[in-house]
Amino acid sequence: MDKGKKIKSIIPIFIFILLIINLFGCSPKQEKPMVKKESEEVPKPLKTIEKRVEDTISELEKIQEEKKKPEEKQNKQEENQNKQEQGNEKQDKQNQQGGQQNQQGKQNQGQQQSKQQTKEDKIKGMWDSINEKVTKIHTDWNTYEITAIKDGASEEDIKGFEKTLNRLTVNVEAENEMGSLIEANNMIFYLSKFLDLYKGKPDGEIMRLKFSINKVYLYGQMNDWEKANMALKEIDSSLGRLRKKIKLDKKDKGEMDKLELSIEDFKNVAKMKNVELLKIKRDVAIENLNKVREKASQS
């Protein structure tokens, strides 16, 4: 075989070897599929915001209670003063004693006015405390916002929270307790959206249920029972979703039963249109809701 024929016979073999090398030696490395980790832990700044909002609602309701006290005491004072004046008219023979009683009545009235002034100062101090809490929420939100974006919060929820926080701030500055209560409760709704980002926890649904319960009570305070009844339907929907999400140890399942019974009592009282009784039943339901959340975190 001459030299040319040898070269021609070697070329196909060489090409075949190159193909084998390219096929096996240069094949792309298989990358392991990325497993997206779902965060189970709620970020501390979000917990702090929730705590401040809850405390704000509690203090706003204390202002409502405090505002009623001076009015009740003033009415009692007026009744006592009227009785005293009637008694003085009958004591014609005891003018001197009657004069002393009139003087004592004026002193009591002065003391009552002093007490009322003290109540006003106390309420002013409570507003200052609430204003401080709301200011801190702005700082806490600035800390959490970047985390919320990274964890997948929607732009709509972020803007909604910010607008609600701004409205809450304006109402607190104006010392408008009902407007402040409405916006603080709306913040609970948006907090539920952020809590939904952290899978494996029922916290978001629990907060939505709390929002709906509070909404019924607020409509009751405004004597808008038609809207209160509409909000009751939200409670049923949220409670149904919570039943599916909640995970409790066998020994703690009774807490869920207590919650459902207290919510049923709350709904029945709402139909009676009695605000004071509704508040009592709301407080019981919220307390049971908090217990369920605590037990769920331990299971």
Side-chain angles (χ1 to χ4, degrees):
M1 185 181 292
D2 59 23
K3 190 175 181 180
K5 289 182 178 180
K6 285 183 179 180
I7 293 172
K8 287 181 180 180
S9 63
I10 291 171
I11 289 173
I13 297 171
F14 181 72
I15 293 172
F16 178 76
I17 292 171
L18 287 176
L19 289 172
I20 294 296
I21 292 171
N22 286 333
L23 183 62
F24 293 101
C26 299
S27 60
K29 294 181 180 179
Q30 292 185 352
E31 295 182 0
K32 294 181 180 179
M34 292 182 65
V35 179
K36 185 180 178 181
K37 293 183 179 180
E38 293 182 338
S39 177
E40 297 290 338
E41 185 63 31
V42 176
K44 187 176 179 180
L46 182 56
K47 291 180 180 179
T48 302
I49 292 172
E50 181 187 338
K51 176 74 165 54
R52 293 199 203 280
V53 172
E54 297 277 10
D55 289 346
T56 296
I57 291 174
S58 178
E59 287 201 41
L60 285 166
E61 292 187 345
K62 286 178 181 177
I63 287 177
Q64 287 183 318
E65 294 170 5
E66 197 66 34
K67 278 190 170 182
K68 295 175 183 177
K69 292 179 182 178
E71 184 178 353
E72 292 172 359
K73 288 187 176 182
Q74 186 66 32
N75 289 338
K76 288 182 180 179
Q77 176 64 26
E78 289 174 357
E79 289 176 7
N80 291 336
Q81 189 173 352
N82 289 335
K83 289 179 181 179
Q84 191 175 38
E85 289 174 355
Q86 291 173 3
N88 289 339
E89 290 176 359
K90 295 179 181 180
Q91 295 177 354
D92 295 331
K93 295 181 181 180
Q94 299 178 356
N95 291 332
Q96 185 176 0
Q97 184 178 356
Q100 291 175 349
Q101 288 177 345
N102 285 333
Q103 185 177 1
Q104 183 65 36
K106 290 179 181 179
Q107 289 176 353
N108 290 340
Q109 188 174 3
Q111 290 173 357
Q112 181 63 32
Q113 289 174 349
S114 176
K115 286 181 181 179
Q116 189 167 346
Q117 184 63 40
T118 303
K119 295 289 182 185
E120 291 173 0
D121 292 341
K122 184 177 181 180
I123 290 172
K124 179 63 178 174
M126 293 166 78
W127 276 115
D128 290 342
S129 175
I130 292 170
N131 198 16
E132 184 179 349
K133 284 183 176 63
V134 172
T135 300
K136 288 180 179 178
I137 292 174
H138 283 272
T139 303
D140 296 329
W141 169 246
N142 181 250
T143 302
Y144 173 67
E145 185 178 6
I146 187 67
T147 303
I149 294 170
K150 288 179 180 178
D151 290 344
S154 70
E155 184 179 355
E156 181 182 358
D157 289 339
I158 288 172
K159 287 184 177 179
F161 180 88
E162 290 175 343
K163 288 179 180 178
T164 303
L165 177 55
N166 290 339
R167 288 196 298 267
L168 172 62
T169 306
V170 170
N171 276 281
V172 168
E173 288 175 351
E175 298 186 0
N176 178 352
E177 65 262 21
M178 184 54 69
S180 298
L181 279 166
I182 290 170
E183 297 304 338
N185 193 48
N186 287 338
M187 287 187 70
I188 287 181
F189 172 76
Y190 282 106
L191 286 172
S192 74
K193 296 291 195 75
F194 298 136
L195 288 166
D196 281 340
L197 299 173
Y198 308 100
K199 307 300 180 183
K201 292 180 178 291
D203 299 56
E205 206 58 63
I206 286 172
M207 290 295 279
R208 259 188 298 280
L209 187 53
K210 186 177 291 188
F211 161 76
S212 297
I213 291 172
N214 279 332
K215 186 158 73 166
V216 172
Y217 173 60
L218 288 171
Y219 278 135
Q221 283 195 75
M222 293 184 286
N223 203 32
D224 194 340
W225 295 103
E226 183 178 351
K227 288 184 179 179
N229 286 327
M230 291 174 63
L232 286 173
K233 297 177 183 178
E234 296 177 13
I235 293 177
D236 291 334
S237 300
S238 188
L239 185 59
R241 290 190 297 268
L242 180 60
R243 286 194 199 100
K244 295 177 181 178
K245 289 184 179 181
I246 198 78
K247 294 178 182 178
L248 294 171
D249 292 337
K250 189 174 181 180
K251 62 182 177 62
D252 296 325
K253 290 189 181 296
E255 296 296 339
M256 190 65 191
D257 295 334
K258 283 172 60 179
L259 171 62
E260 292 186 22
L261 289 172
S262 63
I263 287 177
E264 194 62 33
D265 289 343
F266 175 78
K267 288 162 59 180
N268 290 334
V269 168
K271 296 173 184 177
M272 296 169 59
K273 301 181 180 181
N274 185 314
V275 177
E276 296 301 323
L277 187 55
L278 188 65
K279 183 181 186 302
I280 294 171
K281 295 298 184 181
R282 183 211 61 168
D283 291 346
V284 173
I286 294 296
E287 183 180 355
N288 287 334
L289 190 58
N290 290 335
K291 285 181 181 177
V292 166
R293 186 178 185 180
E294 181 184 354
K295 296 298 183 182
S297 68
Q298 297 170 357
S299 62

